[in-house]
Amino acid sequence: MRARKLTEFAYKQLIRTAKGLEAASVWITGGTILDVYTKSWRKADIVLAGERIAYVGEKVPLVNEDTICINAKDKYIVPGYIEPHAHPFQWYNPFTLADYALQTGTTTMISDSLFFFQLLPYDKLSSLFDEINKHPMKQFFWARLDSQTLPDPEGVFQRERIKELLDHPLVIQAGELTDWRGILDEREELLEGMRYALDLGKRIEGHHPGASYQTLAIAAAHGVGACHESMKAEELLHRLQVGMYATLRHSSIRPDLPKLITEWLELDLPWSPRMMLTSDGATAPMLRNGVMDYTIRVAIESGMPIEEAYGMATLNPATYYGMDTEIGGIAPGRLADILLLTEKNNPTPETVIANGLIIVQEGQVVAKVPKSQMSDYVSGSLTMEEMVSDQWFLFPDKTQALSLDTLPVICMINAVISKLDETTVIHDWEELIQIPDAMLAVLIDPKTKQLTKAILRGFAVELEALATSFHASTEFLVLGRNPQSMKAALQEIMASKGGVAIIEKGEVLFHIPLPIGGKMTDESMEIVMEKSECFTTLMKERGYRFDDPIYSLLFFTAIHLPFVRFTKAGIYEVKTGSLIYPATPL
């Protein structure tokens, strides 16, 4: 498939420049190029004709006064990086992420569309995709087949809506498939969506953490072509053995890459062309280190051969998505996504060229990239007609508890996995404050006007109040140990139409407005980095002991993770697919 349209004029220009009959638009001389097709380095010049590469070799091109000449002596040249699995809504948005990622060498992303699909009708979603595609950093998308949340009262994930999205030319895969129960249970609408994607010739990406070889084989039979959830080298091997691509992840929630590489080296197996690298939607604090350039750096420093590391972030994902004739390498006919490095083992580029346009030169941004506001396309934000009530933050009495003596207690095992704690019983606030890591959790749905309540343990210590709209669903989630502070924190994020706020001793200790669907802001990546780093520091000072508190917030309401989750319908047990504590009216 074409990554970018090639007009008749551009096509003839490309051919004539390759023949030496028309002047090059850019001539890069004297560099050492990584040939990803042979996994070797060679001296050669690169000749561009507009957006594309016309020639790579030693022949001197035709030039004129408009030709831009770049002396790449002592530089190492690699293809633009490809992120095969992005989540462009971790407070930042697709435009702000694209600006930042491009400057660090990532020239293509395949991105999740989950929140946009939830928030927008198809015509607006299609317009958003078209606008995103105007950016020099190319973005393609996935079509989710399942919602990750429960229930779906608005009917967002209807079959025809999903098929309509899969038909979009910028949507190149279905997935990631987080509804593992639906696959095992052969849920008809899920299988129909998978079959439809395959009929269109589009990929299906799985989500199979901890899956056995047998489960992976079943997923492969369904048509799943890749999975990024390997946590051990043996799991990488199993994915390759069933014919999948195995994506090695290094994200803020799962920084697995050093362990995967060490274990793979111990297996003494060759590196596979069916391996890819991903940063898997890292939150902004990790992005301070870079995007795919940082992922490649970690891979090299962990012992992966340099040529393999670059190949897993360029040619391999391009081949997987059927775009290796367009991107992923430095060769004639390809889009001119080209990075100049100072050292082979330093993947952060000094010069960035995307689609033949010089974006960064000698470390300085030199191109004027079109600026778009996400808020122009996603106007949906969280509001609530009701006045915030003190009653929302009280313990239920026995008549409200629906035959249960007290609220369920949920304990966090790690940053995203939680289980029932059946040894702790807390009846009221007096008992709760005796346990430093215990807090009341209240999920408030302004649409269904329902409350879901539970006790949460293991998230933080002595956290007075935190309110957030940033999670997998569309409600307000409030956590805390002080009812008045919890009310104030909720009012704070309601006033900003979404966001995250921490209240302590009557003061707003932290607040980031996220008015775009309650998930994103138009602020620059630098501001999001500063805010998210501040939030992470505050949470760790208050006893948060895992990798990423932002991801912990995101997954509180995501029902694809074990074992117990918050939903607008009540507390949900993932293994049995049942509600163990139903929601109650506001």
Side-chain angles (χ1 to χ4, degrees), residues 418-466:
S418 55
K419 67 176 182 178
L420 277 179
D421 175 1
E422 298 181 292
T423 63
T424 302
V425 179
I426 299 173
H427 296 89
D428 52 35
W429 281 108
E430 289 184 6
E431 291 183 2
L432 184 144
I433 61 175
Q434 299 305 312
I435 305 174
D437 74 334
M439 62 190 71
L440 181 65
V442 185
L443 188 70
I444 303 158
D445 184 13
K447 292 183 179 178
T448 64
K449 303 188 187 315
Q450 299 256 88
L451 290 176
T452 296
K453 291 185 181 181
I455 304 299
L456 181 66
R457 294 196 63 187
F459 177 62
V461 176
E462 302 286 354
L463 181 66
E464 195 170 321
L466 182 154

Side-chain angles (χ1 to χ4, degrees), residues 11-235:
Y11 186 45
K12 290 181 177 179
Q13 178 192 26
L14 177 66
I15 294 168
R16 291 179 60 80
T17 304
K19 292 178 176 178
L21 301 176
E22 193 163 321
S25 56
V26 178
W27 180 23
I28 305 171
T29 63
T32 301
I33 299 169
L34 174 61
D35 186 334
V36 292
Y37 309 106
T38 63
K39 298 181 182 177
S40 63
W41 299 84
R42 63 171 173 140
K43 289 276 190 181
D45 291 355
I46 306 171
V47 178
L48 307 189
E51 291 191 335
R52 294 181 181 264
I53 299 170
Y55 173 76
V56 179
E58 298 177 357
K59 188 177 79 171
V60 175
L62 180 66
V63 298
N64 61 22
E65 65 276 7
D66 295 323
T67 302
I68 298 172
C69 297
I70 298 175
N71 183 355
K73 184 176 182 296
D74 300 325
K75 306 298 181 188
Y76 297 90
I77 306 176
V78 299
Y81 307 139
I82 301 170
E83 168 54 274
H85 185 95
H87 298 280
F89 37 65
Q90 311 290 14
W91 298 5
Y92 50 74
N93 69 60
F95 298 113
T96 54
L97 177 61
D99 288 343
Y100 178 74
L102 183 59
Q103 292 171 25
T104 57
T106 300
T107 55
T108 304
M109 278 188 173
I110 293 83
S111 294
D112 192 357
S113 65
L114 175 61
F115 288 151
F116 318 132
F117 184 66
Q118 290 175 331
L119 292 166
L120 297 173
Y122 178 79
D123 58 340
K124 290 187 177 180
L125 181 60
S126 181
S127 295
L128 173 62
F129 286 170
D130 291 342
E131 186 66 21
I132 290 172
N133 198 42
K134 293 176 184 176
H135 197 281
M137 194 201 78
K138 296 167 284 296
Q139 285 196 67
F140 301 91
F141 296 92
W142 336 330
R144 291 275 192 159
L145 305 184
D146 58 284
S147 68
Q148 288 195 346
T149 57
L150 181 82
D152 180 23
E154 293 85 13
V156 171
F157 283 82
Q158 294 176 356
R159 298 183 189 191
E160 293 310 311
R161 282 201 82 220
I162 292 170
K163 288 182 177 180
E164 189 175 43
L165 183 58
L166 279 167
D167 284 333
H168 196 286
L170 293 176
V171 173
I172 62 174
Q173 77 170 7
E176 60 182 287
L177 292 173
T178 54
D179 186 4
W180 54 271
R181 285 187 59 86
I183 294 176
L184 293 177
D185 295 343
E186 298 184 14
R187 186 162 63 84
E188 183 54 39
E189 57 267 33
L190 186 59
L191 297 185
E192 184 178 335
M194 296 172 74
R195 191 171 65 251
Y196 190 75
L198 294 172
D199 287 344
L200 292 173
K202 298 188 177 185
R203 291 289 196 176
I204 301 174
E205 185 176 20
H207 177 102
H208 305 286
S212 66
Y213 176 89
Q214 287 73 21
T215 299
L216 292 170
I218 292 170
H222 281 74
V224 173
C227 179
H228 62 287
E229 289 289 339
S230 297
M231 291 172 273
K232 298 183 292 186
E234 182 184 28
E235 295 173 344

